[in-house]
Amino acid sequence: MSSTSSIRVRFAPSPTGIFHVGGARSALFNWVMAKQSGGTLVLRIEDTDASRNSPEWTEGIIRALAWLGMDGGEYEGPYFQSANADKHAAAARTLVDSGRAYYCDCTREDVVARTGDQHKGYDGFCRDRGLDPGPGRALRFRTPYEGQTTVVDLLRGKPVFENALLEDFVIARADGSVTFLLANAVDDMSQGITHVVRGEEHLPNAPKQQLLWEALGSEPPVWAHIPVIVNEKRQKLSKRRDKVALEDYRAEGYLPEAMRNYLMLLGWSPSGDREIVPWEVIVEEFRIEDVNTSPAFFDEKKLRAFNGDYIRMLPVEKFISACLPFLEDAPFEVDMAVFAQLAPLAQTRVALLSEIVPMVDFAFLDEPPEDERSWAKAMLKGPADEILAGAEDAYRDAPWRADELKTRLEQVGAEHGLKLGKAQAPVRVAVTGRTVGLPLFESLEILGRERTLARIAAARARLASATG
């Protein structure tokens, strides 16, 4: 693809369920191609399957695209396939009138009875029967049995398909509704689509749709079938088995910038030895021809690491703003002035925004949260009470600064032959409730002397009760 030629690409999802990360990647690839060339991205909602479609799924698609950065100003549409029913019907009539399609009343059982093979495709029985439309009669495309159809694909070269193996496929059902193959081709033609970029699972449809384009008097588009996305077992991502809903990742606190960057790397690599790449660089460097055809592994652990990197790159003010939806749902009231002090500490620790609530809850609860595993690990081994007693004495008159609090606890630990890492464990659990969390001494400074000492005393009382 020339980087200077203006193109028209489309993203054409069906509103039949959650917004799949694979669909999000297809949308991004198409969007970037349009931006590079000064071309146009068309959003078309393929909503002709009335039994499975829902307006809420359509709204979910539009919200998901907006979250990724594709608001209404980034694409043309949305158009709805159902609005093109007249065009689809007209195309079907054109194919019948030109002899490129015919009516067929064969059932699957009829075909099996004639061929003796339940796996064999349609045998062309009705090609020359001259049936008129009527109940129980579908419309089939008259595939040229001779020759081959070559699909020019920007990723896969020129796959060749034997026409004799394509069979006469159905383009309109007995009830008059057209199939995906015809509707998709007609919509692409009427909307002037020049490049069709979609998942490789659609590659077997390409020769059929290309034949339809040609039969309707149009030049086929440029094809690009991008690689399938697989899980760690190298199985194709499935919404029944894997976490694939973009909405779920958003709800967990993934940043759109991180998701966008990661999805663009599923099959493509930027220049140099780097993966965290500014969006502007991705838009400049991406070439659909450079996409690898091998299956792309969706590594959630890697995505999580990406997200942590993007969180740490945020200005602290934006980090605080990004945390607000999660803080608003917290089961306690958040003092934003206190949170503003904790935010720089938390920003270095969280990989997901949803982790912010358990990271800072100790500062807003009347008592630290109870975590029995943390308690057992820190309090029931070693001289926990002696460390707490020493900290209580040392902190009673200490200058209330993180550096001084650290020095004093180091001294307490040394008296018991413990390094700081071991000495601070019971203090951390006494004050924050957990063995892992924000930097301890900065947290104590923010929490204040009175609350810190009260929590240490309460932990000592619990220890005494347990051992008494």
Side-chain angles (χ1 to χ4, degrees):
M1 181 191 73
S2 169
S3 60
T4 59
S5 60
S6 181
I7 65 173
R8 283 179 66 83
V9 292
R10 47 75 163 176
F11 177 56
S14 298
T16 56
I18 54 92
F19 192 66
H20 196 291
V21 291
R25 182 191 59 166
S26 294
L28 288 170
F29 278 15
N30 279 281
W31 184 32
V32 172
M33 288 176 65
K35 290 176 77 69
Q36 285 180 337
S37 68
T40 302
L41 169 64
V42 174
L43 174 60
R44 185 173 72 232
I45 307 296
E46 300 200 332
D47 61 339
T48 51
D49 189 348
S51 64
R52 299 176 61 209
N53 294 336
S54 169
E56 68 181 86
W57 297 127
T58 297
E59 294 167 5
I61 291 169
I62 294 173
R63 283 196 304 268
L65 293 178
W67 180 69
L68 287 171
M70 283 175 275
D71 58 24
E74 294 293 331
Y75 54 77
E76 183 179 298
Y79 299 111
F80 292 86
Q81 190 172 67
S82 57
N84 292 337
D86 290 345
K87 292 180 181 178
H88 303 155
R93 288 193 298 271
T94 296
L95 292 172
V96 172
D97 293 343
S98 65
R100 298 303 303 272
Y102 62 91
Y103 288 97
C104 171
D105 61 2
C106 296
T107 65
R108 183 61 195 158
E109 291 74 18
D110 293 336
V111 176
V112 172
R114 286 194 300 267
T115 63
D117 186 348
Q118 62 179 346
H119 301 295
K120 194 169 184 178
Y122 180 66
D123 59 356
F125 180 78
C126 292
R127 278 175 76 97
D128 301 312
R129 291 179 65 196
L131 296 178
D132 292 324
R137 294 178 178 178
L139 186 63
R140 291 183 180 274
F141 182 74
R142 190 185 299 273
T143 302
Y145 283 170
E146 308 78 22
Q148 302 169 323
T149 295
T150 300
V151 173
V152 179
D153 190 294
L154 292 174
L155 278 65
R156 301 168 190 277
K158 297 180 179 180
V160 176
F161 298 83
E162 298 293 334
N163 290 338
L165 300 179
L166 295 178
E167 75 175 28
D168 291 353
F169 51 90
V170 173
I171 57 174
R173 304 174 187 88
D175 62 5
S177 62
V178 302
T179 64
F180 160 81
L181 291 170
L182 181 60
N184 194 267
V186 169
D187 291 346
D188 283 346
M189 282 183 268
S190 66
Q191 292 175 342
I193 302 303
T194 62
H195 293 67
V196 171
V197 180
R198 59 187 182 179
E200 69 173 291
E201 64 271 18
H202 292 291
L203 181 58
N205 293 328
K208 299 176 182 179
Q209 290 176 305
Q210 184 160 306
L211 288 170
L212 287 171
W213 277 67
E214 293 168 349
L216 291 168
S218 295
E219 182 178 349
V222 177
W223 306 96
H225 291 89
I226 58 181
V228 66
I229 302 177
V230 297
N231 62 20
E232 60 185 5
K233 295 181 180 179
R234 296 305 186 265
Q235 301 167 318
K236 182 181 176 182
L237 282 189
S238 166
K239 63 183 179 182
R240 290 182 295 274
R241 181 185 56 237
D242 305 301
K243 190 170 79 174
V244 299
L246 195 71
E247 296 92 336
D248 289 344
Y249 288 99
R250 180 181 182 179
E252 284 187 4
Y254 283 87
L255 296 174
E257 297 85 358
M259 179 63 75
R260 202 164 57 185
N261 186 163
Y262 182 71
L263 290 177
M264 288 298 297
L265 300 185
L266 295 180
W268 173 79
S269 300
S271 62
D273 185 19
R274 55 181 178 165
E275 292 184 311
I276 304 295
V277 186
W279 182 242
E280 296 75 18
V281 174
I282 290 176
V283 171
E284 179 182 350
E285 292 191 359
F286 178 79
R287 296 292 181 273
I288 190 67
E289 299 93 333
D290 295 336
V291 172
N292 195 312
T293 58
S294 299
F297 171 36
F298 189 91
D299 186 345
E300 190 176 342
K301 292 180 180 177
K302 188 172 183 178
L303 172 59
R304 180 187 174 91
F306 263 54
N307 202 63
D309 288 340
Y310 269 90
I311 284 176
R312 287 183 282 281
M313 287 190 288
L314 289 175
V316 67
E317 296 79 10
K318 289 190 175 182
F319 173 69
I320 292 173
S321 179
C323 289
L324 288 179
F326 300 91
L327 296 174
E328 289 169 357
D329 290 336
F332 49 80
E333 186 174 348
V334 177
D335 183 327
M336 290 307 299
V338 173
F339 180 71
Q341 298 177 68
L342 294 169
L345 307 177
Q347 191 173 0
T348 66
R349 295 292 199 274
V350 298
L352 305 176
L353 294 176
S354 58
E355 295 172 347
I356 193 63
V357 170
M359 193 70 72
V360 303
D361 57 359
F362 73 93
F364 305 106
L365 296 168
D366 293 335
E367 298 178 356
E370 292 187 7
D371 182 87
E372 293 303 324
R373 292 183 63 183
S374 293
W375 179 268
K377 183 177 180 180
M379 299 299 195
L380 304 183
K381 297 178 182 179
D385 186 59
E386 291 86 342
I387 294 295
L388 291 175
E392 195 173 18
D393 290 340
Y395 285 173
R396 194 167 284 117
D397 62 351
W400 207 253
R401 301 190 314 270
D403 59 343
E404 184 65 25
L405 298 174
K406 177 183 177 182
T407 298
R408 298 230 175 173
L409 191 56
E410 281 179 323
Q411 294 169 351
V412 171
E415 293 173 5
H416 295 277
L418 299 176
K419 294 184 178 180
L420 180 61
K422 294 288 186 180
Q424 71 177 1
V427 176
R428 177 183 289 280
V429 171
V431 176
T432 72
R434 301 184 181 92
T435 54
V436 178
L438 301 184
L440 175 61
F441 304 104
E442 289 82 353
S443 298
L444 299 183
E445 181 177 337
I446 294 169
L447 191 66
R449 188 193 311 273
E450 181 179 347
R451 295 178 72 193
T452 297
L453 292 177
R455 292 185 178 191
I456 291 175
R460 292 192 66 202
R462 178 180 172 184
L463 274 174
S465 175
T467 57

